[in-house]
Amino acid sequence: MIRRWAIAAVMLVAACGQQEDPAPPPPTGAESTPSPPTPATSTTSSSSQSRPSVAPKPSRTLDMRKYTTQACDALTQQQVASLELSSYQVLRATNLCRWSLDGGKTTFDLSFNTVMDVLQLYYDEADKPYWVVFEAITVGGFPGVKRQGDSKPPVYNCQVFVATGPKQGIEVRAVSTGVAADWCGKAVKAAEFVVGNLGT
């Protein structure tokens, strides 16, 4: 009797020592609950370098009185021909000469400025996105700028200004709809002709 009681006691202790089954692990893979999405972030950067904002000053002054009121006389017929402008209509103004083609679809302007620092005005606009080309040039020892706006074919353009003194200079502007030419090359060449004709 005592022995059976002892065996029963041992079995009761063993049963009490057993632990409940552990909780099942959390589901994995497709059964897991997705985490909230991380908000997307973006950064912008620009590789373009800032252009100069102060125009160089001419070291001397060129006497432009020879052509300031007769701008069309600033280029010889041979020079006009070399610029391929001989077939253009010529429009004369006091300090400006315009070569025009196709009723104004293409214009090539040569003008003389004697009242303000136009070169600095060009540099004031140097960082404007519209000017896809902005290049410092030197013509006959005088500082200048060649710039080209962001126009799409069939529209082409170029502007050149050469400072021939503190508040004076020569400006060449070309705008064309339909004539795909090196307008910047023509504008620079025209400025070189004029400076040469004035006597550097």
Side-chain angles (χ1 to χ4, degrees), residues 62-83:
L62 183 63
D63 186 355
M64 303 192 307
R65 290 177 293 177
K66 183 178 179 181
Y67 300 128
T68 50
T69 58
Q70 300 291 334
C72 290
D73 295 339
L75 295 176
T76 68
Q77 291 184 356
Q78 292 78 10
Q79 291 168 344
V80 170
S82 70
L83 296 171

Side-chain angles (χ1 to χ4, degrees), residues 16-17 46 52 63 79 81 85-87 90 113 116 125 130 133-134 141 164 181 187 193:
C16 291
S46 175
D63 186 355
Q79 291 168 344
L85 301 175
S86 296
S87 62
V90 180
N113 171 71
M116 65 179 63
E125 298 179 344
Y130 174 73
V133 173
F134 188 92
T164 58
F193 284 151

Side-chain angles (χ1 to χ4, degrees), residues 30-53:
E31 298 179 358
S32 61
T33 303
S35 301
T38 302
T41 59
S42 63
T43 59
T44 59
S45 62
S46 175
S47 60
S48 61
Q49 296 181 350
S50 179
R51 292 166 174 166
S53 60

Side-chain angles (χ1 to χ4, degrees), residues 113-170:
N113 171 71
T114 58
V115 296
M116 65 179 63
D117 187 356
V118 176
L119 187 61
Q120 183 56 55
L121 296 180
Y122 272 50
Y123 273 83
D124 288 343
E125 298 179 344
D127 272 337
K128 288 189 175 181
Y130 174 73
W131 300 113
V132 293
V133 173
F134 188 92
E135 180 181 332
I137 61 174
T138 301
V139 176
F142 295 98
V145 160
K146 173 183 69 177
R147 69 182 184 180
Q148 190 172 37
D150 186 18
S151 60
K152 306 299 182 184
V155 178
Y156 308 90
N157 72 88
C158 190
Q159 298 178 8
V160 168
F161 186 85
V162 178
T164 58
K167 288 187 177 181
Q168 67 175 50
I170 302 161

